[in-house]
């Protein structure tokens, strides 16, 4: 990663013009303001922006883009900064663009089953708002209490319900996007069918702020499922738990949630959440099904039978919605709980076909042992999306070297098993050096061609997705 300043500071002239657009109260280039937005949820990446700007509407965003394009000032769009790939770390300086003022749910359309929102809407707020109307917005990243829809779209985030309902991409029907040159385009819309031209909506979903700025989104809603049941299956054998996951799917049951937590994760989560999770078993599966009552009951019974046949030592159904919610919340707090163990927490999201989960979990444990590290594993087992997490200490350089090598081996193993380097967290700066492992040189060239066409001056979130050098988790200060 470049540590040298490669671009000029925002000139006085450019600053004056930007302030004319958003007003002085929405332009912050104080050291404190810049420091606050110099990092995100990714450990060990920090770099100061030159200014932080909070536009109030699409017109202002478009004006900002025009000015930045003219002066070649990098733009880093930022939701809540919860991404785990250094995606909002302004590695090449420039402006951080906030959506605090663009956080309204514009419409919930009950006839077309859509919600139209601004990018700064918090995910949970949208979920609650549509639930009040008996509707359902399924994407539920663990960070949903604070993450924004703009961030979810740009990372194509997944969540606990991804196995049955898919990820954010599956719910984005249309977008309003400000391009790097300030042009405003609309893609898709409320239509269930629309094949007019290239599918630009899908292109922008998951593009990590590198192709344009999402200023509005039309999202698909579905009717709220009738009922839901939750159960925990406990195992003394980690691989038996992984086998149960494959068997459940092979038996043609698609549960809404199929989450995996290993013993070290359980211990930490229970210490944090205190809801009576067992800590003396090797692994737990959190399983949920929703839908019509009779289907849910039939599927839960079948899944309980499968788990028992795969040597689950206990299978317990949540007795109330409160207990079920406590279990879900406990799972969502896994990262926060693990983060209390050591000063630095490195969480990854290597993903494999679900049939390979058992092999992947075994490999992670062997790699942890080889490098003498504690690696706790939890994740969306039903999607094959695992989160091997290493509590460590960035000040211990020797240990950090081992952490780097261990995760490199984990990514290589995931690819070898037909998987990928990231299932939901995105590439950002963190995974950029590994992207070619997944796509090959021709794949990278195709992506670069798209980037070059839409953002020829490389002002949109530069330094992300495409690797510059080998990976180094260094603190960059400008
Ligand atoms: C405790 C915890 C749990 C998590 N659990 C999950 C999980 O279960 N599943 C999952 O997928 N992820 C998870 N994440 C990762 C993260 O929360 C998601 O990636 C989330 O979608 C980021 O939302 P954000 O609003 O914080 O976006 P940010 O982190 O601010 O931004 C993310 C990316 O989107 C871009 N961006 C933001 N807004 C816009 C916009 N309007 N236009 C263009 N680009 C934009 C940014 O430039 C950046 O590249 C978790 C993170 C934490 C800390």
């Amino acid at each position: 990663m470049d540590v040298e300043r490669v671009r000029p500071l925002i000139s006085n002239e450019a600053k004056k013009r930007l302030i004319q657009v958003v007003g002085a109260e929405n332009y912050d280039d104080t050291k404190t303001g810049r420091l606050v937005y110099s990092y995100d949820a990714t450990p060990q990446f920090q770099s100061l922006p030159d200014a932080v700007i909070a536009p109030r509407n699409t017109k202002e965003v478009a004006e900002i883009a025009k000015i930045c394009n003219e002066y070649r000032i990098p733009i880093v769009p930022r939701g809540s900064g919860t991404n785990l790939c250094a995606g909002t770390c302004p590695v090449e300086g420039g402006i951080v663009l906030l959506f605090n003022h663009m956080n309204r749910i514009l419409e919930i359309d009950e006839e077309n089953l859509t919600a139209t929102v601004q990018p700064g809407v918090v995910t949970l707020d949208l979920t609650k708002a549509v639930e009040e109307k008996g509707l359902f917005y399924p994407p539920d990243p663990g960070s949903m209490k604070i993450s924004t829809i703009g961030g979810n779209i740009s990372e194509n985030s997944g969540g606990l319900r991804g196995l049955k309902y898919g990820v954010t991409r599956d719910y984005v029907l249309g977008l309003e996007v400000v391009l790097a040159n300030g042009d405003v385009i609309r893609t898709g819309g409320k239509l269930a069918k629309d094949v007019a031209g290239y599918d630009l909506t899908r292109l922008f979903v998951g593009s990590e702020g590198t192709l344009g700025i999402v200023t509005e989104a039309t999202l698909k809603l579905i009717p709220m499922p009738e009922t839901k049941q939750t159960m925990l299956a406990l195992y003394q054998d980690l691989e038996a738990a992984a086998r149960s996951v494959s068997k459940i799917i092979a038996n043609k049951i698609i549960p809404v949630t199929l989450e995996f937590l290993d013993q070290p994760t359980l211990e930490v989560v229970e210490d944090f959440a205190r809801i009576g999770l067992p800590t003396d078993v090797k692994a737990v599966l959190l399983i949920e099904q929703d839908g019509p009552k009779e289907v849910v009951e039939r599927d839960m019974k079948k899944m309980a039978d499968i788990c028992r046949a795969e040597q689950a030592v206990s299978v317990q159904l949540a007795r109330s919605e409160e207990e079920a919610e406590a279990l879900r919340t406990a799972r969502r707090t896994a990262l926060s709980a693990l983060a209390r163990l050591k000063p630095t927490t490195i969480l990854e999201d290597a993903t494999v076909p679900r049939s390979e989960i058992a092999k992947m979990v075994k490999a992670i444990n062997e790699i942890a042992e080889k490098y003498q590290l504690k690696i706790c594993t939890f994740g969306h087992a039903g999607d094959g999306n695992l989160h091997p997490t290493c509590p460590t200490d960035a000040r211990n350089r020797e240990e950090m070297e081992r952490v780097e090598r261990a995760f490199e081996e984990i990514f290589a193993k995931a690819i070898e098993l037909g998987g990928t380097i990231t299932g939901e967290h995105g590439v950002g700066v963190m995974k950029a050096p590994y992207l070619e492992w997944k796509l090959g040189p021709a794949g990278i060239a195709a992506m670069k061609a798209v980037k070059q066409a839409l953002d020829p001056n490389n002002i949109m979130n530069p330094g992300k997705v495409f690797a510059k050098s080998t990976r180094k988790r260094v603190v960059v200060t400008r």
Side-chain angles (χ1 to χ4, degrees):
M1 191 156 46
D2 283 331
V3 292
E4 295 298 318
R5 182 188 297 282
V6 291
R7 293 172 188 268
L9 277 170
I10 299 173
S11 65
N12 284 338
E13 191 187 64
K15 174 175 169 176
K16 207 168 139 207
R17 284 179 63 187
L18 288 165
I19 289 176
Q20 268 168 6
V21 174
V22 292
E25 67 281 15
N26 292 314
Y27 184 99
D28 186 357
D29 59 358
T30 61
K31 184 80 195 262
T32 318
R34 293 161 62 217
L35 199 58
V36 169
Y37 294 100
S38 63
Y39 59 92
D40 53 34
T42 324
Q44 282 211 275
F45 284 91
Q46 189 174 25
S47 179
L48 285 172
D50 294 299
V52 180
I53 305 186
R56 290 162 290 197
N57 51 50
T58 303
K59 192 166 168 286
E60 289 185 2
V61 175
E63 286 300 315
I64 292 167
K66 265 186 210 145
I67 296 167
C68 288
N69 202 33
E70 190 180 325
Y71 292 91
R72 310 287 192 264
I73 299 167
I75 300 175
V76 182
R78 176 174 167 126
S80 296
T82 65
N83 74 88
L84 297 164
C85 60
T88 44
C89 181
V91 287
E92 297 193 13
I95 64 163
V96 165
L97 203 64
L98 302 180
F99 299 97
N100 304 355
H101 300 311
M102 296 175 68
N103 61 355
R104 279 182 304 129
I105 298 174
L106 301 172
E107 182 194 41
I108 296 174
D109 179 341
E110 292 179 71
E111 281 181 40
N112 287 305
L113 294 186
T114 59
T116 302
V117 302
Q118 292 185 315
V121 168
V122 168
T123 317
L124 187 63
D125 292 347
L126 174 66
T127 310
K128 284 185 175 161
V130 304
E131 272 177 18
E132 277 172 22
K133 297 185 183 293
L135 294 170
F136 188 34
Y137 176 69
D140 63 337
S143 52
M144 67 193 292
K145 270 190 191 166
I146 44 170
S147 71
T148 64
I149 295 294
N152 294 172
I153 291 172
S154 305
E155 294 291 6
N156 187 16
S157 296
L160 270 62
R161 302 191 275 241
L163 174 59
K164 181 168 180 176
Y165 290 108
V167 295
T168 302
R169 172 177 54 218
D170 302 306
Y171 296 87
V172 184
L173 293 174
L175 293 172
E176 179 186 77
V177 179
V178 173
L179 300 179
N181 64 4
D183 283 356
V184 182
I185 60 165
R186 281 194 169 265
T187 73
K190 289 184 179 179
L191 300 166
K193 284 184 163 182
D194 182 2
V195 292
Y198 295 149
D199 190 346
L200 293 179
T201 310
R202 286 235 165 177
L203 177 65
F204 286 104
V205 174
S207 64
E208 304 189 23
T210 62
L211 298 181
I213 304 154
V214 175
T215 46
E216 196 183 293
T218 300
L219 305 169
K220 179 170 115 178
L221 306 174
I222 57 175
M224 193 68 180
E226 200 183 291
T227 53
K228 187 170 191 174
Q229 284 191 5
T230 305
M231 73 181 172
L232 271 192
L234 317 183
Y235 295 83
Q236 284 305 356
D237 175 8
L238 217 113
E239 287 175 41
R243 270 198 318 272
S244 299
V245 172
S246 301
K247 287 268 166 69
I248 287 171
I249 310 289
N251 272 272
K252 302 183 180 52
I253 304 171
I254 308 290
V256 60
T257 300
L258 193 37
E259 295 287 308
F260 169 88
L261 290 94
D262 71 0
Q263 196 265 342
T265 312
L266 276 172
E267 229 169 63
V268 181
V269 168
E270 174 54 18
D271 187 48
F272 184 65
R274 305 233 177 246
I275 59 157
L277 281 174
T279 53
D280 56 347
V281 290
K282 288 278 181 329
V284 152
L285 290 181
L286 170 66
I287 305 171
E288 295 190 291
Q289 183 59 303
D290 67 4
K293 194 164 178 287
E294 54 289 0
V295 175
V296 172
E297 281 172 359
R298 184 199 64 200
D299 284 356
M300 292 303 268
K301 185 181 172 317
K302 266 197 194 169
M303 289 191 284
D305 289 346
I306 292 169
C307 294
R308 286 194 195 96
E310 286 300 331
Q311 277 97 48
V313 290
S314 155
V315 182
Q316 305 158 4
L317 206 65
R319 282 156 300 184
S320 63
E321 178 46 32
E322 289 70 41
E323 194 178 313
E325 188 49 37
L327 291 172
R328 269 173 240 139
T329 306
R331 158 61 188 89
R332 286 203 176 97
T333 59
L335 172 57
S336 320
L338 285 164
R340 295 158 79 222
L341 286 187
K342 290 250 193 134
T344 313
T345 311
I346 310 283
L347 174 139
E348 290 295 356
D349 74 327
T351 303
V352 291
R354 60 176 82 93
S355 54
E356 305 296 329
I357 286 246
K359 277 189 211 150
M360 191 64 208
V361 170
K362 189 161 173 271
I364 292 170
N365 289 339
E366 284 166 4
I367 292 167
E369 204 171 304
K370 174 174 166 190
Y371 289 101
Q372 296 161 303
L373 296 167
K374 183 183 179 86
I375 298 186
C376 306
T377 301
F378 64 97
H380 318 294
D383 308 325
N385 183 198
L386 294 171
H387 293 312
T389 304
C390 183
T392 179
D393 185 346
R395 292 165 300 187
N396 183 342
R397 284 179 172 230
E398 184 275 326
E399 183 168 297
M400 284 306 287
E401 277 297 318
R402 280 187 278 127
V403 173
E404 296 295 334
R405 291 210 301 276
F407 276 113
E408 267 186 25
E409 273 191 35
I410 288 173
F411 295 143
K413 187 72 193 175
I415 300 268
E416 185 193 313
L417 293 173
T420 184
I421 56 170
T422 170
E424 58 182 16
H425 290 168
V427 178
V429 189
M430 280 253 304
K431 304 272 177 65
Y434 307 114
L435 188 61
E436 197 170 323
W437 292 6
K438 170 72 185 150
L439 299 177
I444 296 278
M447 280 199 188
K448 280 190 173 165
V450 173
K451 168 77 174 164
Q452 173 67 21
L454 288 177
D455 179 20
N457 296 321
N458 192 25
I459 62 161
M460 288 309 310
N461 211 357
K464 313 293 157 66
V465 180
F466 303 109
K468 283 199 161 172
S469 56
T470 51
R471 183 189 200 198
K472 271 270 171 271
R473 292 172 199 270
V474 288
V475 176
V476 184
T477 39
R478 301 172 69 250

